[in-house]
Amino acid sequence: MKHSLITLFLLGSCGWLAAQHTTKTPAVYKPVRTDIYKKGWTDFNKNGIKDTYEDPTATIDARIEDLLSQMSLDEKTCQMVTLYGYKRVLKDDLPTPEWKQQLWKDGIGAIDEHLNGFLQWGVPVSDNKNVWPASRHAWALNEVQRFFIEETRLGIPVDFTNEGIRGVESYKATNFPTQLGLGHTWNRQLIHQVGRITALEARMLGYTNVYAPILDVGRDQRWGRYEEVYGESPYLVAELGIEMVRGMQKDYMVAATAKHFVAYSNNKGGREGLSRVDPQMSPREVENIHVYPWKRVIKEANLLGVMSSYNDYDGFPIQGSHYWLTTRLRGEMGFRGYVVSDSDAVEYLYTKHGTARDMKEAVRQSVEAGLNVRCTFRSPDSYVLPLRELVKEGAISEETINDRVRDILRVKFLIGLFDRPYQTDLKGADEIVENAAHEEVALQASRESLVLLKNNENLLPLDITNIRKIAICGPNADEQSYALTHYGPLAVEVTTILEGIQKKIAGKAEVLYTKGCDLVDANWPESELIDFPLTPEEEADIQKAVNQARQADVAVVVLGGGQRTCGENKSRSSLDLPGRQLDLLKAIVATGKPVVLVLINGRPLSVNWADKFVPAILEAWYPGAKGGEAVADVLFGDYNPGGKLTVTFPKTVGQIPFNFPSKPNAQIDGGKNPGKEGNMSRANGALYSFGHGLSYTTFEYSDLKISPKIMTPHQTAYATCRVTNTGQLAGDEVVQLYVRDVLSSITTYEKNLAGFERIHLQPGKTREVTFPIDRKALELLNADMHWVVEPGDFALMIGSSSTDIRLNGTLTVFDPNQPFASENSGERTRISASTRMEIVGNAIDNDLSTFWEGNKGDYITLALPGSAKVDRVSIAFHRDGGAGADFEIQLSGGGGQFLTVYSGTITTYDQLLNFHFKGTTASDIRIVLGDDWVGISEVKLLQ
């Protein structure tokens, strides 16, 4: 890395100063006190001796135990709390002499959102001089860190935490689409890059722990935080979450803290009580949908942080649950980082859930459950002081405190806080944060997140040579706020949709713009329930947009949602276009001009009228600061959209819950015939299904191969197909693999997403795509709540969406401890082997390229149906090199005794050969090898 995080402990002056006051930010940060900064290590406890915890060559466990043994109860409990940053709880931007009298004189676990610019919802970004530029920000955080290293007894560095689900939250940083938009890219490599950039910019700014990714799985489209999920498939959430964490934690750049653990995203009726209570799910659904991503991200990406949610499940608040925070999270999933509470999760145990009698009891329950760090917008004293009382009273053992602190210290050691506590390359911060290369990745993410929902008669892309005037209207056409929400960069330059189009067609066509209507009307959200008449002002605004559309060759209407209609604590009672937006759209369509609808929103919307009457619809979600440029690229054909839906668009909230995956036939209801004489009583089916997304080109799928077709639960099979771009333009296709357990002991989902790959193809080009299929794609949670793979057939479906399946095949799983059964010549054939039972199914899978192999004396045995009379068999052998090999065919009439009915030598391989012998009634037929390293590719019984 060009600008590495340099740990320089250079010469300076002595003693404690309130801060290194400077009017000019230096290029390299140099801490003041020189006596504790040694060559290769820091004397954190100022005793002149290299203690084990100060020794970078010692093991992390040894360093933890050494430090823990030196810590007092006061120092331990201070590590178990977060101090919210400037003007949230902490009134100072830099250390002051008064800090020596505050609770954090003994250290602090974390400082959250310090000087990141965010003050409160709806409040302008902080103008503090240490917020920006990046170098000054890094310098200021170093100054805060210096207090904890130089002025506390043990010098334990603080963990600087911050938000980062669409780029690190800072005055400026690389601004990506919201996580819902990122999910629609289906691009693992891109998400890895997003994670890497987020972490790098965070560390250069001085942050060491970033609250990302969101591992909640979308279930109710009304939910305000739908904009923050990757999608509805637990598999997709896991796959993208793994890449985000790997990107963030590579080289331990930062710790990634995922949220919200667990069962957080499915509240009753989409309502968001402050404690997010009453999620309506069965235990099996919680495991299949909500726990699944956590298990995989923790195990496969070594996640270092978990934010505990403040909802309950089945009457038990997660924050106070030893089962969830210890038995499951640490015991089963192997989590080794630290758990931080979400906002007032601890307080809610007594203020909302009513499971603790007071704050002190809430603290006890949380710590006993497994909480490491309390994080909320309150004084740390409110948590630490009752915690100390509980220990002194014996209500919490100090060994429990030690266990909680071990986890905190482990993360701090892993991310290098004891070896490089300062971000010393201040000049590098200015060069890296929001640099040109990172901005290109952001633009790629914005482009790839776009989904073409509809494109009748190929209205898109627009041909600029045939356009003299283009009319643009809608409340989101010239809006920036969708790119500047909380949890990401706050003050970057945003290209609106209007600006993107203006720049794209400058000098080629005239742009006519008027807003047309506001995002919501004066009576919203009551206007979702009552049809209020348009006001004269609203009618005038719509008419102005109509007049412009009549002058134009094409109209682009930019509608959807925004910070008023979507976000945290902003669930809706409807999924229709809010306010007067539909009135505006209808009026523009009535002009008869070609209309393109662009949606900017944080959740699926029930745009039924638009789907029926608007020829082209582009879903852009919240496409980030580069969204205007990306949308213009798609509208005019400079980029071919390839995003696919990771969510379901219901036709109405009356269908909710309506999401992917679902049980067989769960989305079907009532009659099929509408109208007066029909029998249909409700709208059925999705408006747009999971995986849907169009392109300006076409793709053909072919040549599905499954190898092996028959396997044990412990093997991995591979499904391979070929995808060809059969159109005239280069484009991206998201190839999707779905799996269904055909016959199972419990009802399973109709389709489980089990693989996906976003590929780019030039016209006429073909690419082979291969999906590994292992037990995680085949498991079910059985009646005893154990994860098992049940033997039997699994339907494999590969296609362009969950409803556009192009290729179908079957994978069969058998128990290696039982004879295997498969279809052969119209009968069920059971097969076993003397050795290598796990691959014996290759001998009856109708595929000559796969084979069972054994040595001299080894054999395979096929059970014959009923008491069959057999006098012939067709066998294909395989042997590398082609040397001759002896073999025998034996029959058994029962009782385990086999008699040889044919002996021969094979010299022809890899093709079926017919063998005839004297027939007899038999129960089993056996093929015995007479030489080593001989394979049997196929056996077919001849009638």
Side-chain angles (χ1 to χ4, degrees):
M1 175 169 80
K2 181 178 179 182
H3 297 283
S4 60
L5 300 174
I6 311 167
T7 306
L8 296 175
F9 304 114
L10 303 176
L11 298 176
S13 58
C14 61
W16 158 250
L17 298 175
Q20 297 182 87
H21 293 292
T22 178
T23 56
K24 182 179 179 181
T25 304
V28 175
Y29 183 79
K30 301 177 181 179
V32 170
R33 186 170 174 175
T34 62
D35 57 323
I36 66 171
Y37 302 111
K38 314 293 184 179
K39 185 176 181 180
W41 65 284
T42 302
D43 188 10
F44 290 106
N45 62 7
K46 299 97 179 165
N47 66 355
I49 301 170
K50 185 191 288 187
D51 292 81
T52 300
Y53 85 90
E54 298 165 343
D55 184 358
T57 66
T59 66
I60 286 180
D61 285 343
R63 297 177 81 178
I64 292 170
E65 295 307 317
D66 179 60
L67 176 53
L68 196 61
S69 70
Q70 299 186 41
M71 296 173 71
S72 67
L73 178 63
D74 285 357
E75 288 163 333
K76 292 173 184 176
T77 52
C78 276
Q79 289 299 306
M80 296 175 66
V81 72
T82 285
L83 172 63
Y84 253 87
Y86 178 61
K87 287 196 173 180
R88 307 299 298 282
V89 172
L90 187 59
K91 66 179 182 179
D92 308 306
D93 55 349
L94 297 173
T96 69
E98 287 74 25
W99 285 24
K100 294 290 286 184
Q101 281 74 52
Q102 298 290 342
L103 180 88
W104 52 92
K105 70 182 184 301
D106 295 314
I108 206 78
I111 297 181
D112 195 26
E113 297 189 33
H114 188 54
L115 295 171
N116 70 352
F118 183 81
L119 296 178
Q120 288 292 340
W121 298 98
V123 175
V125 177
S126 171
D127 61 357
N128 182 281
K129 65 182 181 299
N130 292 314
V131 167
W132 198 256
S135 55
R136 183 70 183 185
H137 183 280
W139 173 88
L141 263 60
N142 282 335
E143 284 294 281
V144 175
Q145 187 71 278
R146 188 167 67 88
F147 169 85
F148 291 99
I149 291 171
E150 296 183 1
E151 297 302 318
T152 64
R153 185 177 74 92
L154 295 176
I156 301 173
V158 66
D159 192 6
F160 284 106
T161 59
N162 197 6
E163 302 288 350
I165 61 173
R166 53 178 187 84
V168 62
E169 184 162 24
S170 174
Y171 182 78
K172 289 188 176 182
T174 302
N175 183 297
F176 298 100
T178 51
Q179 190 168 300
L180 182 60
L182 291 173
H184 281 79
T185 70
W186 297 69
N187 189 332
R188 295 179 182 85
Q189 295 76 23
L190 176 61
I191 300 305
H192 187 99
Q193 283 184 285
V194 171
R196 187 63 176 162
I197 290 169
T198 300
L200 176 58
E201 293 189 354
R203 193 75 182 230
M204 295 305 290
L205 287 163
Y207 299 108
T208 50
N209 193 322
V210 176
Y211 293 157
I214 305 287
L215 295 183
D216 301 318
V217 181
R219 304 316 284 160
D220 189 329
Q221 293 86 341
R222 294 168 295 185
W223 187 42
R225 302 191 81 166
Y226 227 74
E227 64 187 45
E228 297 179 13
V229 304
Y230 283 128
E232 295 172 357
S233 162
Y235 175 82
L236 180 134
V237 171
E239 290 288 305
L240 299 187
I242 287 166
E243 290 305 322
M244 184 71 175
V245 172
R246 285 175 175 170
M248 293 172 69
Q249 293 188 171
K250 185 179 180 183
D251 304 322
Y252 292 111
M253 184 64 68
V254 299
T257 295
K259 51 187 185 177
H260 308 82
F261 184 83
V262 63
Y264 177 80
S265 57
N266 192 23
N267 307 298
K268 193 172 187 178
R271 290 184 288 274
E272 291 188 79
L274 289 179
S275 52
R276 305 297 196 274
V277 293
D278 215 10
Q280 299 293 289
M281 294 172 283
S282 69
R284 185 168 278 101
E285 182 176 354
V286 168
E287 297 298 327
N288 285 327
I289 302 296
H290 298 276
V291 175
Y292 176 91
W294 290 95
K295 288 168 58 176
R296 290 197 55 207
V297 174
I298 288 168
K299 291 183 178 181
E300 297 177 42
N302 191 31
L303 181 69
L304 291 179
V306 164
M307 180 177 286
S308 57
S309 58
Y310 41 80
N311 59 281
D312 73 330
Y313 173 64
D314 194 28
F316 296 93
I318 303 300
Q319 183 55 76
S321 171
H322 185 274
Y323 171 77
W324 284 111
L325 298 188
T326 299
T327 302
R328 298 298 305 279
L329 185 62
R330 290 191 174 88
E332 177 189 306
M333 301 181 201
F335 178 65
R336 294 277 286 162
Y338 74 74
V339 178
V340 58
S341 66
D342 183 8
S343 190
D344 272 358
V346 175
E347 285 75 3
Y348 285 169
L349 293 180
Y350 80 97
T351 62
K352 297 191 182 298
H353 292 295
T355 56
R357 64 178 175 269
D358 54 24
M359 176 61 181
K360 189 173 178 180
E361 174 63 14
V363 171
R364 187 196 67 78
Q365 290 181 9
S366 296
V367 173
E368 292 284 5
L371 179 67
N372 298 101
V373 174
R374 194 284 299 266
C375 176
T376 193
F377 317 104
R378 299 173 185 265
S379 163
D381 303 58
S382 63
Y383 181 81
V384 171
L385 297 183
L387 178 57
R388 290 173 180 171
E389 290 178 8
L390 288 163
V391 177
K392 291 174 182 177
E393 294 167 0
I396 297 178
S397 70
E398 189 156 357
E399 188 49 45
T400 297
I401 299 297
N402 290 343
D403 284 343
R404 302 296 174 263
V405 175
R406 281 187 181 96
D407 296 329
I408 300 165
L409 296 179
R410 183 180 300 109
V411 173
K412 290 189 174 187
F413 278 114
L414 282 170
I415 61 177
L417 274 173
F418 286 88
D419 303 320
R420 50 182 192 279
Y422 302 113
Q423 200 297 82
T424 57
D425 186 7
L426 303 182
K427 180 181 178 182
D430 290 331
E431 296 175 356
I432 286 179
V433 177
E434 202 189 16
N435 67 21
H438 294 176
E439 292 287 278
E440 280 300 310
V441 177
L443 177 59
Q444 178 191 355
S446 295
R447 287 170 171 161
E448 292 195 15
S449 70
L450 304 180
V451 183
L452 185 61
L453 297 177
K454 183 182 179 184
N455 192 24
N456 276 11
E457 298 182 1
N458 296 320
L459 174 60
L460 293 178
L462 299 174
D463 184 355
I464 190 61
T465 63
N466 294 326
I467 297 174
R468 294 175 296 105
K469 291 183 180 181
I470 181 169
I472 303 174
C473 65
N476 278 333
D478 198 28
E479 183 59 54
Q480 299 184 9
S481 63
Y482 62 77
L484 302 173
T485 58
H486 191 21
Y487 304 126
L490 299 167
V492 300
E493 294 183 8
V494 178
T495 301
T496 68
I497 308 302
L498 174 64
E499 292 167 344
I501 294 174
Q502 287 174 328
K503 181 179 179 181
K504 176 70 65 175
I505 65 174
K508 301 175 183 177
E510 182 182 356
V511 174
L512 306 176
Y513 167 71
T514 186
K515 191 173 184 180
C517 71
D518 292 322
L519 191 72
V520 300
D521 63 89
N523 296 297
W524 195 84
E526 189 181 12
S527 58
E528 297 193 333
L529 311 176
I530 300 173
D531 187 15
F532 291 90
L534 288 165
T535 67
E537 293 79 7
E538 290 170 338
E539 289 180 334
D541 287 342
I542 292 174
Q543 189 59 46
K544 183 178 179 181
V546 167
N547 292 340
Q548 289 189 349
R550 285 174 177 158
Q551 301 174 48
D553 300 295
V554 64
V556 176
V557 186
V558 190
L559 307 177
Q563 291 194 41
R564 176 68 179 84
T565 68
C566 194
E568 192 167 1
N569 299 313
K570 294 175 184 175
S571 292
R572 287 187 63 190
S573 53
S574 169
L575 294 178
D576 296 337
L577 287 167
R580 302 305 188 183
Q581 295 185 50
L582 183 56
D583 296 287
L584 173 63
L585 181 62
K586 288 180 177 180
I588 299 301
V589 171
T591 66
K593 296 300 177 75
V595 176
V596 178
L597 172 59
V598 177
L599 293 171
I600 306 287
N601 46 279
R603 60 162 64 86
L605 296 177
S606 297
V607 287
N608 297 286
W609 192 91
D611 177 67
K612 195 171 187 68
F613 297 108
V614 177
I617 305 175
L618 180 68
E619 175 58 78
W621 309 113
Y622 292 155
K626 301 292 185 182
E629 182 178 350
V631 168
D633 286 343
V634 167
L635 293 182
F636 293 95
D638 292 320
Y639 183 80
N640 188 350
K644 301 279 189 175
L645 293 182
T646 66
V647 295
T648 302
F649 277 60
K651 293 177 179 177
T652 168
V653 292
Q655 294 174 292
I656 291 174
F658 194 171
N659 41 45
F660 177 90
S662 64
K663 297 292 181 64
N665 300 308
Q667 314 295 28
I668 306 301
D669 188 26
K672 305 292 185 186
N673 304 311
K676 291 181 179 180
E677 306 302 324
N679 62 356
M680 191 174 182
S681 62
R682 62 176 294 169
N684 284 326
L687 184 60
Y688 303 112
S689 298
F690 181 90
H692 170 74
L694 305 178
S695 172
Y696 296 155
T697 190
T698 55
F699 298 94
E700 181 181 278
Y701 289 60
S702 63
D703 301 324
L704 173 62
K705 295 180 180 178
I706 303 168
S707 180
K709 292 182 178 179
I710 303 166
M711 71 177 213
T712 72
H714 309 294
Q715 285 181 279
T716 298
Y718 296 89
T720 301
C721 70
R722 292 167 63 82
V723 181
T724 302
N725 183 342
T726 54
Q728 302 301 311
L729 297 174
D732 289 5
E733 173 71 336
V734 178
V735 187
Q736 302 161 43
L737 167 69
Y738 297 91
V739 174
R740 180 179 179 182
D741 194 340
V742 176
L743 178 64
S744 52
S745 61
I746 63 166
T747 303
T748 58
Y749 294 111
E750 191 170 40
K751 292 186 181 80
N752 279 302
L753 182 68
F756 60 86
E757 194 70 36
R758 183 167 182 147
I759 62 174
H760 181 79
L761 287 173
Q762 295 294 325
K765 296 297 182 181
T766 298
R767 179 169 165 181
E768 188 172 84
V769 179
T770 299
F771 297 109
I773 305 169
D774 58 18
R775 66 176 298 121
K776 68 175 176 286
L778 309 175
E779 285 180 321
L780 60 77
L781 198 58
N782 70 10
D784 297 323
M785 299 299 282
H786 295 146
W787 286 102
V788 298
V789 177
E790 294 184 343
D793 291 340
F794 291 82
L796 305 187
M797 298 157 277
I798 296 179
S800 190
S801 84
S802 63
T803 55
D804 183 10
I805 301 301
R806 310 287 183 86
L807 302 171
N808 289 276
T810 300
L811 172 67
T812 304
V813 176
F814 74 98
D815 184 343
N817 298 314
Q818 297 293 329
F820 177 75
S822 179
E823 294 294 335
N824 193 336
S825 302
E827 300 286 346
R828 294 291 289 180
T829 302
R830 299 179 69 83
I831 185 170
S832 61
S834 61
T835 185
R836 303 194 70 185
M837 185 67 183
E838 72 276 6
I839 61 170
V840 71
N842 291 344
I844 52 172
D845 63 358
N846 296 311
D847 185 350
L848 293 178
S849 67
T850 64
F851 54 88
W852 168 86
E853 187 177 56
N855 294 319
K856 184 176 181 179
D858 290 331
Y859 55 83
I860 63 173
T861 305
L862 289 85
L864 300 176
S867 295
K869 183 175 181 179
V870 58
D871 62 358
R872 69 190 76 178
V873 65
S874 182
I875 309 171
F877 292 89
H878 171 85
R879 195 179 198 191
D880 292 337
D886 296 332
F887 76 101
E888 291 183 356
I889 299 174
Q890 300 178 343
L891 294 178
S892 173
Q897 182 178 3
F898 282 85
L899 300 175
T900 300
V901 295
Y902 187 97
S903 299
T905 300
I906 298 301
T907 57
T908 302
Y909 293 99
D910 300 319
Q911 67 182 64
L912 284 166
L913 304 174
N914 295 327
F915 301 98
H916 297 263
F917 42 85
K918 186 177 180 180
T920 184
T921 301
S923 61
D924 300 271
I925 184 170
R926 175 174 290 177
I927 303 162
V928 184
L929 302 181
D931 287 282
D932 293 341
W933 305 108
V934 179
I936 298 177
S937 303
E938 202 68 33
V939 180
K940 290 184 179 296
L941 302 177
L942 302 177
Q943 302 300 320

